[in-house]
Amino acid sequence: MHHLAIFASGSGSNAENIIRYFQNKPQIRVSCICTNRPDAYVIDRAERLGIPVLIFTRADFYETDLVLKYLISNKIDWIILAGFLWLVPAYLIDNFPQRLINIHPALLPKFGGKGMYGQHVHQAVIDCKENVSGITIHYVNHEYDRGSTIFQATCPVEAGDTPESLAARVHELEYAYFPKIIEQEILKQQKT
Ligand code: GRF
C-alpha cells in the first residue's frame, strides 16, 4: 500500500478529486491532508470524506520537524502538492526524493516562479496573449516550479477569456489527468 499526503492551502477541489479517485484503488490511498490555512475549504472536504487533517503554522513548517514526524508516523511515502502555496523546505525534498509532485496551472517553464499562483497565473497568460495554456505536473526540487516535468496537457485560451473562465478550463484538465499521472508515477517507481 502506498500512502499519500496531499498538501493544500485553498479550496482543495483537486485534493477531493484525488481522494475520490484512489478510494477505489487497492494499492494507493490518500492518508492525510496537510494545510497551512486553518480556514481552508480543503479541511471541510477532508472531514466530509473522513481523511485526517494536519494544520501547521509557518514556524512549525520551517523551524521544527512536526510535519515530518507526522508524515513518518502516518507511513507517508508520497507527497502531492495541490494548490499549496509555501515553498517546500529542503528537509521534505530530501526525505521524499522523487516522491514529491506538484501541479501548476500553466505550461511551465513559462508563467512559473514566486508569486505565480491562482488567478495571477491565468491573468499573466491572458496578458501575454497566449493562444494555449494548460497544466504541468512535475517533481518538486529546491526552486519554485523548476523540478523535472512529468506531464503537460493543453487547452485553448479563448478570445474574451477572464482569469476565471480560463481557470475553469484548466481545472478540467487537472481533474482529468492529475490522479492518473500520480498513479502512473507510483506504479512506475514500484517496478524499478
Ligand atoms: C490549481 O489550479 C492548481 O493547479 C494550483 O492551485 C489550484 C488549486 O485549486 N496549484 P484547488 O484548491 O484544488 O481547487
Side-chain angles (χ1 to χ4, degrees):
M1 172 69 81
H2 301 277
H3 296 273
L4 315 189
I6 300 181
F7 281 55
S9 305
S11 161
S13 66
N14 277 283
E16 176 162 354
N17 183 50
I18 296 164
I19 292 166
R20 289 188 186 282
Y21 181 86
F22 288 117
Q23 273 172 344
N24 304 317
K25 308 268 173 174
Q27 287 177 299
I28 301 169
R29 173 190 302 158
V30 176
S31 298
C32 60
I33 297 291
C34 298
T35 185
N36 58 309
R37 288 263 314 267
D39 59 345
Y41 187 61
V42 70
I43 298 171
D44 300 60
R45 295 184 194 264
E47 285 171 354
R48 218 181 314 121
L49 292 159
I51 308 291
V53 177
L54 176 72
I55 304 171
F56 52 84
T57 65
R58 183 170 282 278
D60 292 335
F61 198 45
Y62 291 109
E63 293 163 29
T64 76
D65 58 3
L66 179 140
V67 174
L68 183 60
K69 281 196 168 138
Y70 180 84
L71 298 174
I72 292 169
S73 70
N74 282 282
K75 301 188 168 30
I76 299 301
D77 35 26
W78 286 79
I79 296 177
I80 308 301
L81 308 182
F84 182 68
L85 297 185
W86 287 356
L87 187 66
V88 176
Y91 71 83
L92 275 187
I93 296 167
D94 296 341
N95 273 278
F96 292 85
Q98 293 295 99
R99 284 165 177 259
L100 220 166
I101 293 178
N102 181 45
I103 189 163
H104 187 77
L107 298 172
L108 293 174
K110 283 171 134 180
F111 308 110
K114 198 165 166 47
M116 275 295 174
Y117 62 89
Q119 306 301 68
H120 301 292
V121 178
H122 305 302
Q123 186 67 61
V125 169
I126 292 167
D127 289 348
C128 286
K129 304 196 185 327
E130 297 285 324
N131 295 318
V132 175
S133 191
I135 58 170
T136 303
I137 299 171
H138 64 95
Y139 283 106
V140 174
N141 68 7
H142 294 83
E143 289 174 276
Y144 268 118
D145 300 329
R146 298 291 292 275
S148 61
T149 296
I150 301 166
F151 175 84
Q152 291 185 309
T154 63
C155 63
V157 181
E158 311 277 7
D161 255 339
T162 61
E164 292 74 20
S165 62
L166 180 54
R169 208 171 299 123
V170 169
H171 260 123
E172 290 307 316
L173 292 176
E174 296 182 333
Y175 302 148
Y177 290 110
F178 200 15
K180 289 189 180 135
I181 297 299
I182 293 166
E183 181 179 36
Q184 168 197 297
E185 289 306 295
I186 293 174
L187 298 180
K188 203 193 287 173
Q189 282 200 24
Q190 187 175 271
K191 282 193 201 138
T192 56

